[in-house]
Amino acid sequence: MSALAGIITEKCPKCGKGKVFSKKGNPLLFQMPRMNEHCPVCHHKFEKEPGYFFGSMYVSYALTVAEMIITLGLTWFFLDSIVGVIVMIAIMSILLSTFNFRISRMIWIYMFDGKDRDI
């Protein structure tokens, strides 16, 4: 399994079979995603140390900015009001928040804890 496929399917970076997240989360119900502490298949520990995922906040920020720019570009043609465009950007940011949380952590895990790295 390639790294990109592993990130998208949210599989363990070591074995490629176990799920990293036990719960996807739902921004409309105010539920955050839940991460497994260890891989259910190979028992690989995902969080190496306290604060391991602080760097994933920068990845999440970059994803959010890219999504906001894309939303701005798409809604600019359909809405004449700048307030309407800002509201659409805010709505998209809220709806994609749990997606960004999961994907940014997966990118972080695969960057620093991929198959070729043994700790």
Side-chain angles (χ1 to χ4, degrees):
M1 175 182 290
S2 71
L4 182 60
I7 290 170
I8 292 171
T9 59
E10 299 173 357
K11 299 292 183 180
C12 173
K14 293 294 180 181
C15 68
K17 296 176 184 169
K19 291 189 175 193
V20 175
F21 289 94
S22 61
K23 186 177 176 185
K24 298 279 186 184
N26 187 342
L28 300 177
L29 299 176
F30 302 107
Q31 296 173 345
M32 287 301 292
R34 288 207 196 277
M35 239 180 120
N36 290 323
E37 226 175 281
H38 299 278
C39 174
V41 177
C42 69
H43 304 292
H44 173 71
K45 186 174 181 181
F46 296 124
E47 188 171 3
K48 298 295 178 196
E49 59 191 16
Y52 178 72
F53 289 111
F54 281 155
S56 71
M57 290 187 298
Y58 295 106
V59 176
S60 179
Y61 176 75
L63 288 172
T64 303
V65 168
E67 290 164 356
M68 287 180 174
I69 290 171
I70 290 169
T71 304
L72 171 71
L74 292 174
T75 57
W76 193 260
F77 293 110
F78 299 110
L79 300 176
D80 293 333
S81 168
I82 191 73
V83 174
V85 171
I86 292 171
V87 168
M88 283 302 297
I89 290 172
I91 288 170
M92 288 304 293
S93 296
I94 291 169
L95 291 177
L96 292 172
S97 64
T98 57
F99 170 78
N100 288 341
F101 180 85
R102 291 189 328 263
I103 292 299
S104 65
R105 283 195 174 205
M106 290 305 301
I107 291 171
W108 193 257
I109 287 173
Y110 271 83
M111 277 186 354
F112 293 107
D113 198 21
K115 288 185 178 186
D116 299 329
R117 295 170 179 85
D118 287 325
I119 294 177

